Amino acid sequence: MASSETALAADRKARGIGPFLRSQMRNIAPFLTLIFLSLFFAFASPSFATLDNLGNILTQVSVTGIIAVGLTFVILCAEIDLSIASIANVTGIAVAYFTLQESYVNIANVPLPGAVAILLSILLCALLGLVNALGLTVIGIPSFIMTLAMMQIAAGISALLVRGQIAYKVPSLISTLGSGSIGGIPWIVIVAAIMLLAGHLVLTYTRFGRYVYMVGGNREAAEYSGLNVKLILGTVMVISAVCSGIGGMLGVAHFGSAQQNEFDTYLLDSIAAVVVGGTSLFGGRGGIGNTIVGLFVLGVLNNGLDHVNIDSFLKILIRGLILLAALVINVYAQRLREKTAD
Amino acid sequence: MQQARSPILELQGITKSFGGVEALRGVDFALYAGEIHGLVGENGAGKSTLMKIIAGVHPEFSGRFLVNGQETRFRSARDAHAAGIAMVHQELSVAPDLTVAENVFLGNQPTNRLGIVQWRRMAREAGEQLARFGINVDPMSRLGDLPIGLQQLIEIARVLFSGARIVILDEPTSALSPPEVERLFTTLRRLRDEGTGIVFISHFIEDILRVSDTVTVFRNGRKVAETASAATTKGALIEAMIGRGGEVLEHSYTDDLSLPKPSDGPVVLKVDQLSLARSLQDVSFEARAGEVLGIYGFMGCGQQELSRILFGKLKPDSGALIVDGAAKSFASTAAARRAGVALVPESRRAMLFHQEPVYKNVSISILDRISALLLKPAREREIAKHQVEQLQIRPPVVALDLGMLSGGNQQKVALAKWLTYPPKLLVLCEPTRGMDVGAKNDVINIVRDLRARGLAIIVLSTEPETVLSLADRILVLKRGALVREFTNEPVSKDRLLEAA
Ligand SMILES: Nc1ncnc2c1ncn2[C@@H]1O[C@H](COP(=O)(O)OP(=O)(O)OP(=O)(O)O)[C@@H](O)[C@H]1O
Ligand SMILES: [Mg+2]
């Protein structure tokens, strides 16, 4: 931390306060949005600013948060992963598929010991991530298209596994982490926090993390620097799939059921969290810190809208508008940054 | 001589600072219609900054700014454009994904009354304009697919024929071959005679003396001299630029130079019958430890492709690379780097991270040597500081974003990336492009030092001076084939040009 602070200080000195603030716009704007929204809902509804409700918000954003960790890596590399929600879904379904269900559940499943079921499910999502990785790096399919195909493939596997039915049981470890709590704190919040922290540490303090930023910042330069760009991109796609898979397993435990299309809203939510937080869609800028702010913006917005009296159909529109505003800021911040660095 | 007329452009007491860095301090500058005004100065002297102020890129500065005697303030490059000022930037600023024609007409494409672009007309007119300038390309081809020198020519053509009354060229010749430079000069003289005011920045002092009417010298953000070109000499200009005697620094290489006896060090690289469709034919040579092998040729002769193949960025159609006795076919640049090969490409943009600090740029290629899993930023900065001192990169602040360095200083950073853990084979494309005379001299010394440490070094350049100043042995590449080798014999600029 100290290192990046001295660098920042030197940066500020070299550039002057105005340009420095402008260059930090992508970090400042989401934070201001968060503060503004929180204050707004706090005044608008007495039930919003309570400790209980903070707990609700945290729990509500946990699954998105887990998925968004991996997606942050992908977007930092200037790629996209549209298969996150489908992979979450299929992994959640797989872990249920490998668990003994009650007799009234009409699924031809394959009951296995819990640890094996979890392991197989993780392998499954990692494998799907690997297919994304190979398509992107070896064959050269743009990630947008490759993961669009994967979205369909994963949905197809889900459909085959559950055949329109609903499964309920998951291994006990998963059901504890997904729906249990310790000392009043839901395990799922703890898991999300640990994964976000781990993602942050990897991105900030490891060599791999640096490579992710550099590949995202200028892919050609990364290649001319002798980095194995394909390996880095491939790894990032696998990380994203595994994070989605974990999110999917815990999500299934959290919702109490595993079924088709259960995670559909998480695709947009996860992308929104990352982008609203200020991570650049052009790669190389942002990070888990931004994603956390983005998660809170989304969480506060979704939760807050439930506390005020608004037409529930209007809510969808409001969310869309906020997302649009965030995108505008994202692109605008990039331009400012390019200008100051010229 | 032009004193009787009033300048079309006049700047008085211009001061510009970027936060802590003072780039310009109280500079006066005047440009007359019908004059070519040369601008020289060390890397980071402030030349580009002043030109960007004129072109409206940096709207914030202090001082007076007059166009045709009228005090003016541009708020953007668009304002400057409207006032008839056009600039070729030091960094290529073309749009690689657009066609040649679109680039030529960037911003003012011919449209019909409905606002629809008239493609056919645009292509035809672009083709005509370029042909007038001696460039024959398909106007509908994608610009990014052309060699970098051609891209530069097209950008110059666009600016020259935009109808601007004031034209600024910031190091326009860095990627051009001698005949292309000649053509450019002919065009510049014609435009001058038609009354255009032209500013021409270059580190090639001979070119400046040859083409310009007036020369201004910058040092450390100040104007230190302004004279008629006819009344000065190369030595005097260099002395004004760097404050010490210039004779030693720039050799003109018109006389014969004798190459040393070839090195008998072990063969580090053996290239065997390398071919690549339409770019390289049966290229074979060896590079030995402790020698600098120069490869000279005109733009488009296949140098760029050859360097990319050596670094695993391009795959040859046939032929073999043998590094340290083992046959290699690099699947990636990472594999080449691991095998001990390093490349500095001719374009800075290609290997530098403009939005990252200098120290991250210096350390990126050697991170795996510095740290296993966790980064060691303190060590990275220490390494970068050392390189910044060695190469005299200015300003010497390793936390500064790379994009804030002047062009020549960025080029030094590109070299610095490979110097901490020297590779076995170092491939340098145009290593001194954009560097001032002092910095060129520094690079010559660095390369000699690396050679003494037993590296094999290959220098590829389209400038005879660069090859002559660095190489122990010289190969000439012509249309993809090696046509001549100079070993242990006299060589001069003319002999090289003749062979190519
Ligand atoms: N956008 C910027 N932000 C901060 N500092 C800058 C910026 N642009 C230029 N500078 C600084 O201003 C000084 C002058 O730079 P400039 O680019 O004008 O030099 P130059 O004479 O064109 O050099 P070169 O021959 O290397 O191109 C340098 O010290 C440079 O680091
Ligand atoms: Mg410059």
Side-chain angles (χ1 to χ4, degrees):
Chain A
M1 212 54 200
S3 66
S4 65
E5 264 159 26
T6 45
L8 274 182
D11 199 15
R12 190 164 26 204
K13 213 167 72 216
R15 267 196 254 181
I17 277 295
F20 174 78
L21 284 182
R22 253 184 285 157
S23 72
Q24 292 297 311
M25 164 130 165
R26 77 167 58 262
N27 298 326
I28 298 167
F31 207 72
L32 291 181
T33 313
L34 176 60
I35 292 175
F36 170 77
L37 284 177
S38 306
L39 288 177
F40 174 78
F41 287 121
F43 281 113
S45 153
S47 57
F48 176 77
T50 61
L51 212 53
D52 264 1
N53 196 41
L54 177 65
N56 289 340
I57 294 177
L58 287 176
T59 315
Q60 284 160 7
V61 297
S62 289
V63 174
T64 317
I66 294 171
I67 297 175
V69 172
L71 188 66
T72 305
F73 281 75
V74 175
I75 293 185
L76 278 176
C77 282
E79 296 291 346
I80 190 72
D81 188 346
L82 298 178
S83 61
I84 41 178
S86 294
I87 290 184
N89 204 359
V90 75
T91 314
I93 286 176
V95 84
Y97 183 80
F98 293 128
T99 308
L100 183 64
Q101 300 293 328
E102 305 287 354
S103 55
Y104 58 82
V105 175
N106 192 13
I107 295 178
N109 71 337
V110 183
L112 293 169
V116 180
I118 296 172
L119 201 69
L120 279 179
S121 308
I122 299 245
L123 273 179
L124 173 68
C125 61
L127 188 75
L128 296 179
L130 191 64
V131 174
N132 274 339
L134 294 178
L136 173 66
T137 61
V138 178
I139 307 178
I141 309 171
S143 57
F144 181 83
I145 309 289
M146 181 62 224
T147 57
L148 198 65
M150 179 53 67
M151 178 167 144
Q152 198 64 38
I153 293 170
I157 302 175
S158 305
L160 283 173
L161 291 179
V162 289
R163 297 187 168 274
Q165 303 293 313
I166 302 177
Y168 300 95
K169 277 257 195 261
V170 290
S172 62
L173 174 64
I174 295 295
S175 85
T176 310
L177 290 182
S179 55
S181 61
I182 176 167
I185 304 173
W187 270 111
I188 195 163
V189 173
I190 297 174
V191 172
I194 290 175
M195 287 189 56
L196 285 162
L197 181 68
H200 175 71
L201 295 179
V202 168
L203 280 175
T204 318
Y205 296 105
T206 70
R207 191 149 62 86
F208 175 71
R210 172 72 64 76
Y211 288 160
V212 167
Y213 278 103
M214 297 307 243
V215 167
N218 184 346
R219 190 167 297 179
E220 191 185 23
E223 212 165 314
Y224 277 114
S225 302
L227 302 193
N228 198 337
V229 173
K230 287 183 175 176
L231 183 66
I232 294 157
L233 289 178
T235 310
V236 155
M237 295 314 286
V238 174
I239 290 176
S240 174
V242 170
C243 288
S244 303
I246 295 173
M249 290 194 288
L250 299 198
V252 161
H254 190 67
F255 312 137
S257 68
Q259 56 187 306
Q260 188 77 28
N261 296 341
E262 179 163 51
F263 286 82
D264 286 2
T265 58
Y266 284 84
L267 172 60
L268 213 57
D269 275 8
S270 307
I271 295 179
V274 175
V275 176
V276 167
T279 293
S280 170
L281 283 167
F282 307 97
R285 296 273 142 201
I288 297 290
N290 296 77
T291 299
I292 293 176
V293 175
L295 283 169
F296 275 107
V297 169
L298 243 65
V300 164
L301 187 66
N302 285 342
N303 174 287
L305 288 174
D306 289 338
H307 284 260
V308 292
N309 252 335
I310 289 189
D311 179 348
S312 60
F313 295 111
L314 188 59
K315 283 180 196 166
I316 303 176
L317 180 61
I318 291 179
R319 277 168 37 107
L321 290 177
I322 298 251
L323 185 60
L324 176 65
L327 287 173
V328 170
I329 291 172
N330 193 301
V331 172
Y332 189 58
Q334 180 75 12
R335 254 188 237 144
L336 275 182
R337 172 93 204 173
E338 266 161 15
K339 249 193 174 157
T340 38
D342 224 7
Chain B
M1 38 180 192
Q2 281 111 345
Q3 259 57 6
R5 291 176 287 144
S6 61
I8 43 173
L9 180 72
E10 191 169 9
L11 292 92
Q12 294 168 357
I14 301 294
T15 295
K16 166 85 188 166
S17 56
F18 296 101
V21 190
E22 272 221 316
L24 293 172
R25 313 169 208 216
V27 172
D28 296 335
F29 183 82
L31 179 72
Y32 293 85
E35 144 181 91
I36 300 181
H37 196 135
L39 213 56
V40 295
E42 284 185 282
N43 294 132
K47 306 178 296 291
S48 299
T49 305
L50 185 69
M51 294 305 113
K52 285 183 185 166
I53 285 177
I54 296 176
V57 178
H58 293 314
E60 287 157 27
F61 60 92
S62 61
R64 270 159 61 85
F65 188 115
L66 299 99
V67 179
N68 290 323
Q70 295 278 320
E71 178 126 23
T72 317
R73 262 295 137 117
F74 295 146
R75 265 166 300 122
S76 66
R78 194 179 295 249
D79 287 357
H81 202 107
I85 298 175
M87 173 165 176
V88 173
H89 287 270
Q90 185 172 5
E91 291 286 343
L92 212 56
S93 54
V94 292
D97 286 321
L98 298 186
T99 61
V100 171
E102 283 171 294
N103 269 284
V104 170
F105 283 99
L106 213 59
N108 52 349
Q109 294 157 325
T111 52
N112 65 15
R113 256 169 303 157
L114 295 173
I116 293 167
V117 175
Q118 295 172 305
W119 276 97
R120 214 168 294 153
R121 185 174 142 211
M122 187 162 87
R124 194 186 60 233
E125 287 181 7
E128 283 167 11
Q129 277 196 8
L130 294 177
R132 263 211 287 161
F133 200 44
I135 309 171
N136 292 309
V137 291
D138 174 9
M140 298 313 280
S141 54
R142 183 177 164 274
L143 191 80
D145 294 337
L146 304 177
I148 187 144
L150 203 49
Q151 295 184 28
Q152 192 170 24
L153 269 179
I154 289 168
E155 180 169 8
I156 294 171
R158 167 170 67 93
V159 168
L160 291 186
F161 297 119
S162 65
R165 304 301 294 157
I166 296 173
V167 169
I168 300 167
L169 304 166
D170 193 349
E171 294 191 33
T173 60
S174 56
L176 305 187
S177 67
E180 284 158 352
V181 172
E182 271 331 299
R183 256 194 329 252
L184 172 65
F185 286 177
T186 311
T187 313
L188 290 186
R189 292 194 184 102
R190 201 186 69 228
L191 286 174
R192 171 192 60 193
D193 296 341
E194 291 167 11
T196 308
I198 299 168
V199 185
F200 181 76
I201 300 180
S202 176
H203 288 293
F204 298 107
I205 315 260
E206 278 124 348
D207 286 356
I208 292 269
L209 286 174
R210 210 147 53 87
V211 76
S212 62
D213 305 304
T214 317
V215 195
T216 292
V217 183
F218 272 55
R219 180 156 96 221
N220 254 333
R222 289 206 173 80
K223 178 161 116 182
V224 291
E226 175 170 356
T227 69
S229 305
T232 188
T233 62
K234 187 171 169 187
L237 285 181
I238 293 180
E239 186 158 345
M241 270 171 68
I242 61 175
R244 54 192 146 118
E247 324 77 56
V248 287
L249 287 176
E250 187 126 319
H251 217 284
S252 59
Y253 300 106
T254 41
D255 302 331
D256 277 345
L257 185 91
S258 57
L259 293 171
K261 269 182 59 163
S263 154
D264 50 7
V267 174
V268 173
L269 169 78
K270 190 166 153 44
V271 171
D272 196 22
Q273 302 214 310
L274 217 53
S275 291
L276 180 72
R278 280 189 286 140
S279 300
L280 294 171
Q281 282 112 42
D282 280 341
V283 171
S284 305
F285 62 90
E286 288 178 354
R288 290 171 182 272
E291 96 172 333
V292 181
L293 175 64
I295 299 184
Y296 171 76
F298 288 156
M299 204 181 85
C301 67
Q303 284 183 347
Q304 197 169 330
E305 291 79 6
L306 178 61
S307 66
R308 301 308 192 265
I309 291 174
L310 295 179
F311 194 54
K313 184 85 169 70
L314 260 185
K315 273 208 186 326
D317 296 335
S318 64
L321 289 184
I322 295 146
V323 180
D324 255 359
K328 299 277 179 189
S329 112
F330 297 132
S332 65
T333 57
R337 182 173 67 90
R338 270 195 304 276
V341 181
L343 169 73
V344 178
E346 60 290 316
S347 147
R348 292 184 268 280
R349 196 150 278 218
M351 79 174 295
L352 295 172
F353 302 86
H354 284 246
Q355 302 197 355
E356 299 287 350
V358 169
Y359 80 90
K360 290 190 188 174
N361 274 283
V362 172
S363 66
I364 183 70
S365 301
I366 51 169
L367 270 185
D368 47 358
R369 309 283 285 264
I370 303 176
S371 63
L373 177 68
L374 296 184
L375 292 169
K376 294 185 184 136
R379 174 107 181 82
E380 281 177 54
R381 267 198 296 273
E382 190 186 305
I383 285 175
K385 270 208 192 89
H386 178 74
Q387 294 297 346
V388 161
E389 275 160 25
Q390 287 271 298
L391 298 180
Q392 298 185 16
I393 294 169
R394 270 160 299 179
V397 183
V398 298
L400 213 60
D401 278 0
L402 184 99
M404 295 183 180
L405 299 188
S406 79
N409 282 299
Q410 293 182 10
Q411 179 80 7
K412 290 188 190 176
V413 174
L415 187 58
K417 289 174 76 158
W418 299 116
L419 298 187
T420 306
Y421 294 103
K424 285 183 205 143
L425 172 69
L426 179 60
V427 182
L428 302 171
C429 300
E430 308 292 357
T432 57
R433 174 179 293 172
M435 289 192 177
D436 64 52
V437 278
K440 275 185 187 162
N441 211 46
D442 293 344
V443 169
I444 294 175
N445 289 332
I446 291 163
V447 169
R448 295 213 170 118
D449 176 51
L450 292 171
R451 176 183 63 186
R453 284 157 74 180
L455 268 73
I457 299 162
I458 299 181
V459 173
L460 301 106
S461 179
T462 53
E463 293 166 14
E465 291 86 354
T466 306
V467 178
L468 289 167
S469 62
L470 288 165
D472 302 321
R473 191 157 65 88
I474 301 175
L475 304 176
V476 178
L477 195 60
K478 182 178 183 178
R479 284 196 222 104
L482 287 177
V483 292
R484 175 86 160 83
E485 173 169 354
F486 291 92
T487 316
N488 197 10
E489 65 186 291
V491 59
S492 66
K493 192 167 162 177
D494 288 338
R495 285 178 203 251
L496 276 186
L497 287 172
E498 215 172 285

